[in-house]
Amino acid sequence: MVSVAAALAAGHLVAALVNPLASPFLAVGNTAIDLTPHPVKDFAVRTFGENDKVVLLAGMAVVVAGLGVVAGLVSRRGPWPGTLIALLLGLLGVGAVLARPTTTPLAVLAPVTSLVVGVVAFRRLHSRAAPQDMAERRRFLLSTAAVAAGAGLAVTAGQLLTARVDVESSRRGIRLRPQENAPEIPFGADFSREGTPAFLTPNQDFYRVDTALTVPRLRAEDWRLRVHGMVDNEMVLTYDDLLRRPLVERTITLVCVSNEVGGPYISTSNFIGVSLPDLLREAGVRPGADQLATRSADGWTCGTPVATIMAPGSNAMLAVGMNGEPLPVEHGFPVRMVVPGLYGFVSATKWLVDAELTTFGAFDPYWAQRGWGKKAPVKTMSRVDRPKPFEKVRAGRFVAAGVAWAQHTGIDRVEVRVDGGPWQQATISTEVNVDTWRMWRVELDLAPGGRTIECRATDRTGHVQTNDRANPIPDGATGWHSIAFTAVTNP
Ligand SMILES: Nc1nc2c(c(=O)[nH]1)N[C@H]1C(S)=C(S)[C@@H](COP(=O)(O)O)O[C@H]1N2
Ligand SMILES: [Mo]
């Protein structure tokens, strides 16, 4: 176990010097995320929520420690079985690092270091592991403790070295002054007192979905965006180049395709950024380029329909800020994409570093390679936020509330019914713009007993939210959200 720890720690330290994502432990974890079958990933997210990554790392630590124990137990007669296991684990690390999309030529030094340290540490400790007397026993325990301490030091040094990329001070140094501020959110834009979310989501509460085991750490000063492919003028932009362009602030609701009906992954922010269509016009999109393929610093890829971005009034942007601050690191600092009307997986690239004009035929992004759709406009949807499932509420007058969304189309109407009865029109909140969610509330008169409430939205095109059930995969769930609850006389 100590040898395995030493191997991983040494690799982690070398990775901190050459490329933090080349740490064998993290590379194996990231590869595991990419290879995990969709139902398992879904289960992990449902069960552990935003702690899923911590759980994965802890699980890996347990497995690796277990392998260390097995390697020790099968090596009681001689060092070869354990050496072989150390070698195989080392090769697994090398393979995982080489398979990462972010691998740089020097990156392979990290897992190779792990491999060598793992094998050497195991052989050295093993050669002292059959003590004949007290002195030898002490020497064995001391060298084991020394290797363990060295591993601890290496991990700490690695973490400190990674932290030298001072993202927080880069972030703190930035002042964003949009030329055009988003209009004030009107009073009555939410029904938060009646159980809906607040209209604007505080940054720390904004939902987070991504495949990054460790958040990419990019300083604004070092950031570059390359715009290339089917364009007339290839461009390389710095963060300052971006801030010299007109900065606008827009209120936009972002939603994840992975939501089951009634799911939680939706939030709204005042995004500050620059116009993406203007930028692409400057680059000169060639005829036939129908997909904008974007890539993040950690190698995740995304494909967005060029037509959606370039449509008049699309409000698509390269965002640098949320709610007046530079983007939080976990939401894509320094620069991310936002395209109202599309689910995040086909539009909202965080830690954006590369944009290539291409075609849908020529390139499949990360999720398309795993069976998800290539075009995924947001589906008209609504959700009940009050009552909560199985809540006991007072019979008689009761106010139910929730949210509805059809980004870039707008919500026209929300209806609610109880126990399959007649649809009742809900009051909807003051509209902020068509790119945001809209809250609803309705007064009900409830007879005591078990009840079921359902809601459905109608969007600006007159389309009524369908009750046909569809799974999130490939391009978004459909169906009416329904909540079972109980009305009681004495709650
Ligand atoms: N680099 C990167 N960007 C990404 C993703 C990712 O995995 N990696 N996930 C996307 C998905 S699926 C969604 S729903 C949104 C979520 O953005 P948020 O975490 O800021 O809410 O980011 C998108 N951008
Ligand atoms: Mo998503």
Side-chain angles (χ1 to χ4, degrees), residues 206-212 216 254-258 265 267 271 295-302 322 330-332 336-337 343-352 366-367:
F206 202 98
Y207 84 90
R208 177 183 167 198
V209 171
D210 55 61
T211 59
L254 193 62
V255 61
C256 181
V257 71
S258 301
Y265 307 120
S267 302
F271 286 100
R295 186 151 38 80
S296 65
D298 62 331
W300 184 81
T301 52
C302 174
M322 276 168 83
E330 57 283 9
H331 293 293
R336 77 173 307 169
M337 225 165 90
Y343 288 114
F345 80 114
V346 292
S347 69
T349 310
K350 307 192 270 188
W351 315 292
L352 174 72
Y366 185 94
W367 284 114

Side-chain angles (χ1 to χ4, degrees), residues 47-72:
T47 316
F48 307 115
E50 305 203 345
N51 292 323
D52 55 348
K53 287 157 186 156
V54 179
V55 172
L56 172 66
L57 288 176
M60 279 171 51
V62 170
V63 170
V64 166
L67 284 170
V69 170
V70 170

Side-chain angles (χ1 to χ4, degrees), residues 148-180:
L153 275 179
V155 169
T156 313
Q159 291 300 87
L160 290 176
L161 278 171
T162 314
R164 81 185 182 262
V165 183
D166 195 349
V167 182
E168 270 314 317
S169 81
S170 168
R171 241 190 117 238
R172 272 196 306 274
I174 295 165
R175 291 285 166 275
L176 300 173
R177 288 190 200 76
Q179 256 117 312
E180 192 191 307

Side-chain angles (χ1 to χ4, degrees), residues 400 413-416 424-428 439-443:
R413 185 154 41 105
V414 175
E415 295 159 293
V416 173
Q424 194 174 328
Q425 188 138 338
T427 305
I428 44 180
M439 314 295 173
W440 59 264
R441 73 187 286 283
V442 69
E443 273 188 43

Side-chain angles (χ1 to χ4, degrees), residues 197-248:
F199 195 86
L200 287 178
T201 315
N203 286 356
Q204 69 270 19
D205 299 338
F206 202 98
Y207 84 90
R208 177 183 167 198
V209 171
D210 55 61
T211 59
L213 196 45
T214 48
V215 177
R217 305 169 60 86
L218 292 170
R219 299 191 322 149
E221 298 87 319
D222 304 329
W223 179 83
R224 297 285 181 280
L225 172 67
R226 187 165 161 239
V227 184
H228 62 113
M230 295 167 73
V231 292
D232 294 330
N233 320 301
E234 208 176 296
M235 297 163 88
V236 177
L237 291 154
T238 65
Y239 194 77
D240 281 341
D241 292 338
L242 218 55
L243 292 203
R244 273 194 285 273
R245 305 176 72 89
L247 272 190
V248 295

Side-chain angles (χ1 to χ4, degrees), residues 83-376:
T83 308
L84 192 67
I85 291 178
L87 201 67
L88 289 177
L89 279 177
L91 288 174
L92 182 73
V94 173
V97 170
L98 286 179
R100 292 274 81 213
T102 45
T103 287
T104 47
L106 280 181
V108 73
L109 283 178
V112 167
T113 305
S114 282
L115 192 154
V116 173
V117 169
V119 170
V120 170
F122 179 76
R123 307 276 312 185
R124 298 294 294 266
L125 291 177
H126 190 277
S127 70
R128 301 187 169 176
Q132 307 294 323
D133 56 40
M134 271 316 267
E136 276 185 42
R137 191 182 166 76
R138 270 195 51 192
R139 218 164 341 125
F140 171 65
L141 289 178
L142 277 177
S143 23
T144 307
V147 174
L153 275 179
V155 169
T156 313
Q159 291 300 87
L160 290 176
L161 278 171
T162 314
R164 81 185 182 262
V165 183
D166 195 349
V167 182
E168 270 314 317
S169 81
S170 168
R171 241 190 117 238
R172 272 196 306 274
I174 295 165
R175 291 285 166 275
L176 300 173
R177 288 190 200 76
Q179 256 117 312
E180 192 191 307
N181 281 103
E184 193 82 24
I185 304 298
F187 182 78
D190 67 39
F191 298 131
S192 53
R193 291 214 317 240
E194 275 144 338
T196 74
F199 195 86
L200 287 178
T201 315
N203 286 356
Q204 69 270 19
D205 299 338
F206 202 98
Y207 84 90
R208 177 183 167 198
V209 171
D210 55 61
T211 59
L213 196 45
T214 48
V215 177
R217 305 169 60 86
L218 292 170
R219 299 191 322 149
E221 298 87 319
D222 304 329
W223 179 83
R224 297 285 181 280
L225 172 67
R226 187 165 161 239
V227 184
H228 62 113
M230 295 167 73
V231 292
D232 294 330
N233 320 301
E234 208 176 296
M235 297 163 88
V236 177
L237 291 154
T238 65
Y239 194 77
D240 281 341
D241 292 338
L242 218 55
L243 292 203
R244 273 194 285 273
R245 305 176 72 89
L247 272 190
V248 295
E249 183 182 45
R250 301 203 189 291
T251 314
I252 296 169
T253 297
L254 193 62
V255 61
C256 181
V257 71
S258 301
N259 280 306
E260 302 285 344
V261 171
Y265 307 120
I266 178 165
S267 302
T268 301
S269 193
N270 277 330
F271 286 100
I272 300 169
V274 305
S275 160
L276 181 55
D278 283 357
L279 194 90
L280 292 188
R281 261 187 290 276
E282 242 177 78
V285 178
R286 297 225 173 112
D290 58 2
Q291 177 173 232
L292 178 66
T294 48
R295 186 151 38 80
S296 65
D298 62 331
W300 184 81
T301 52
C302 174
T304 311
V306 170
T308 310
I309 297 170
M310 301 308 282
S314 79
N315 291 332
M317 59 159 88
L318 296 186
V320 292
M322 276 168 83
N323 291 334
E325 302 178 18
L327 290 179
V329 178
E330 57 283 9
H331 293 293
F333 183 81
V335 182
R336 77 173 307 169
M337 225 165 90
V338 177
V339 185
L342 302 177
Y343 288 114
F345 80 114
V346 292
S347 69
T349 310
K350 307 192 270 188
W351 315 292
L352 174 72
V353 293
D354 190 277
E356 180 180 359
L357 273 302
T358 177
T359 64
F360 277 102
F363 175 71
D364 278 351
Y366 185 94
W367 284 114
Q369 291 166 24
R370 291 163 175 78
W372 289 80
K374 295 176 87 164
K375 295 186 182 170

